[in-house]
Amino acid sequence: EADIYQTPRYLVIGTGKKITLECSQTMGHDKMYWYQQDPGMELHLIHYSYGVNSTEKGDLSSESTVSRIRTEHFPLTLESARPSHTSQYLCASSGETGRQYFGAGTRLSVL
Amino acid sequence: SQQGEEDPQALSIQEGENATMNCSYKTSINNLQWYRQNSGRGLVHLILIRSNEREKHSGRLRVTLDTSKKSSSLLITASRAADTASYFCATDATGNTGKLIFGQGTTLQVKP
């Protein structure tokens, strides 16, 4: 149903590596979001964007950074991954209705 | 502090029974939304109810909203094994311009 895509679906990497999680949507939505979710737990907003060149930190502090150079693309970057970054990362977008559309998520494991 | 709290945290029922999940929140809202998440996947939007609405239906789903008690409930009627998932409420608080705050979710297991 949703036209929002995340890659990769799974990522296992070593400590200290730089990683970028990709998120793209084809719905023309201005608003995009990144959430972090540990297994069986609630979602925590870590970054959001209301349009091109607009990014804000969310409610949960995160060492990751984001960029929004194009409407459809909202990548998340970790400069130096650590085991504490192991989690699932979910990307979402929303339009005028306020309903959010989610990607399938990236499950990150840092060894 | 957490905006949404859900009750129960886990629910196990037989196929054909109804499932009711409750959500409480703390601040005034523009709308409240319910989402479903299958294990390890992204969330799927189920229903949105605005602050001036009291009840909404979608297929086997019925959502109620009581803004005076700051609470909502999701009822799934005639449950099926395929309804097994986690269900989250999320609030769009007044002034938050689209950001959602999610509850911790209710894990529903429907036994065939």
Side-chain angles (χ1 to χ4, degrees), chain A residues 1 9 31 33 35 37 40-43 45 48 50 59 88 90 94 97-100 102-105 107, chain B residues 2 4 31 33 35 37 39-45 48 50 88 92 96-105:
Chain A
E1 175 193 65
R9 284 282 287 122
K31 296 177 183 175
Y33 314 84
Y35 295 90
Q37 183 187 32
M41 303 297 286
E42 67 215 89
L43 281 73
L45 181 68
Y48 62 98
Y50 287 161
D59 303 317
Q88 175 159 257
L90 293 165
S94 67
T97 65
R99 164 187 171 174
Q100 292 192 9
F102 282 81
R107 191 174 295 277
Chain B
Q2 191 170 303
N31 63 70
Q33 303 178 34
Y35 289 82
Q37 183 180 36
S39 180
R41 306 290 295 181
L43 278 70
V44 175
H45 181 267
L48 180 154
R50 301 193 186 285
F88 293 88
D92 179 0
N96 255 9
T97 59
K99 289 193 300 179
L100 295 179
I101 301 175
F102 285 81
Q104 72 266 55

Side-chain angles (χ1 to χ4, degrees), chain A residues 10-15 19 81-83 85-89 106-111:
Chain A
Y10 303 94
L11 181 59
V12 181
I13 59 167
T15 297
I19 62 165
R82 295 204 300 270
H85 297 138
T86 294
S87 190
Q88 175 159 257
Y89 293 84
T106 293
R107 191 174 295 277
L108 173 65
S109 181
V110 183
L111 305 178

Side-chain angles (χ1 to χ4, degrees), chain B residues 2-45:
Chain B
Q2 191 170 303
Q3 168 76 325
E5 295 187 8
E6 295 184 59
D7 168 56
Q9 287 193 326
L11 182 60
S12 182
I13 59 174
Q14 294 294 133
E15 215 167 21
E17 295 181 339
N18 295 341
T20 299
M21 290 160 257
N22 302 297
C23 170
S24 61
Y25 58 92
K26 296 177 181 175
T27 65
S28 61
I29 61 172
N30 296 317
N31 63 70
L32 184 144
Q33 303 178 34
W34 286 90
Y35 289 82
R36 165 195 168 125
Q37 183 180 36
N38 287 83
S39 180
R41 306 290 295 181
L43 278 70
V44 175
H45 181 267

Side-chain angles (χ1 to χ4, degrees), chain A residues 54-65:
Chain A
S54 152
T55 61
E56 301 285 345
K57 288 191 177 294
D59 303 317
L60 180 68
S61 176
S62 173
E63 294 168 347
S64 58
T65 59

Side-chain angles (χ1 to χ4, degrees), chain B residues 37-111:
Chain B
Q37 183 180 36
N38 287 83
S39 180
R41 306 290 295 181
L43 278 70
V44 175
H45 181 267
L46 295 175
I47 200 162
L48 180 154
I49 186 165
R50 301 193 186 285
S51 60
N52 61 352
E53 297 175 310
R54 293 296 167 258
E55 188 170 312
K56 211 161 182 183
H57 297 255
S58 176
R60 293 184 296 112
L61 306 181
R62 173 178 168 253
V63 168
T64 61
L65 178 65
D66 187 334
T67 53
S68 67
K69 295 180 180 178
K70 291 186 168 60
S71 67
S72 174
S73 67
L74 169 67
L75 168 68
I76 303 174
T77 59
S79 63
R80 304 167 182 167
D83 294 330
T84 294
S86 292
Y87 293 82
F88 293 88
C89 70
T91 51
D92 179 0
T94 303
N96 255 9
T97 59
K99 289 193 300 179
L100 295 179
I101 301 175
F102 285 81
Q104 72 266 55
T106 294
T107 300
L108 172 66
Q109 181 186 30
V110 181
K111 299 175 185 176

